[in-house]
Amino acid sequence: DLVADEAVMAELREAAERFVAETEAALAVEAEGAESGLRRRAGKEFVVREYAYGVHLGLDNAWLRLGVNRRLLDVANAYLGMWSKLEYVDLWYTPPVTEAERRSSQQWHRDFNDRHLLKAFVYLVDVDEDAGPFEYVPRTAPGGELDSLWPWRPLGDNYPPQDELAQRIDGRSVTFTAPAWTLIFCNTCGFHRGGFATGKPRALA
């Protein structure tokens, strides 16, 4: 609802469908044992990325234009209490996992790169429990009631013992299952996890 321009939404939907289709075609090539050229980050091979870091995007890019959309920026600036800076834009595709255990960001963690951090996730497909929904523990960001639980540190090891954290948060986490084109704003300095897709793929911007 924040992006009321139907022409903008049509462009985003087309770009999303293209990303999903191209990724799935490349994954099929990979399954046959051939090189696919898909972008992945070391340690998070379970996620396929459209851009990752270090790419240059122009204002002809629909996702960059969404990232600097005035209404989204107003939300970010109001929350942070300062003029925010867009750090990066990316699209992620997470196929269903074959492993039984969570890895990397599929586990509870804090993002380490800034104490004042707000991310905006847009689901590009319907996301239910089988698609690895985003999960969050409210009030764990710096300054929150629960920020003393393995406190945020810059460039720190922000993955606590998972069983111990689960006991300490005692069912406080929130799971964001939602239809496609749901937008989630989140301070990811608080504990969160996602992408543990078990039955169907998840795609988001």
Side-chain angles (χ1 to χ4, degrees), residues 97-175:
V97 296
T98 55
E99 303 88 357
E101 294 186 6
R102 293 175 179 266
R103 296 186 295 139
S104 185
S105 60
Q106 294 171 338
Q107 302 180 82
W108 291 115
H109 66 286
R110 298 180 184 275
D111 285 350
F112 61 82
N113 37 329
D114 201 317
R115 185 178 175 86
H116 302 287
L117 184 64
L118 185 67
K119 288 188 176 178
F121 298 107
V122 183
Y123 285 162
L124 305 181
V125 296
D126 295 339
V127 175
D128 60 15
E129 292 282 0
D130 292 335
F134 182 75
E135 298 177 81
Y136 193 78
V137 184
R139 299 184 292 281
T140 54
E145 173 192 348
L146 303 177
D147 72 343
S148 61
L149 298 178
W150 296 276
W152 182 89
R153 293 184 295 115
L155 301 177
D157 180 9
N158 295 305
Y159 285 82
Q162 298 293 297
D163 291 342
E164 190 175 345
L165 176 67
Q167 290 177 348
R168 298 285 294 277
I169 63 177
D170 190 27
R172 291 183 184 228
S173 64
V174 179
T175 299

Side-chain angles (χ1 to χ4, degrees), residues 53 88 92 111 113 117-121 184-188 192:
Y53 292 106
Y88 78 102
W92 299 345
D111 285 350
N113 37 329
L117 184 64
L118 185 67
K119 288 188 176 178
F121 298 107
I184 302 167
F185 284 103
C186 179
N187 182 338
T188 55
H192 63 287

Side-chain angles (χ1 to χ4, degrees), residues 14-35:
E14 181 183 350
E17 290 170 4
R18 183 169 58 249
F19 167 66
V20 170
E22 290 176 354
T23 301
E24 290 178 345
L27 286 169
V29 167
E30 248 185 25
E32 297 294 325
E35 281 291 325

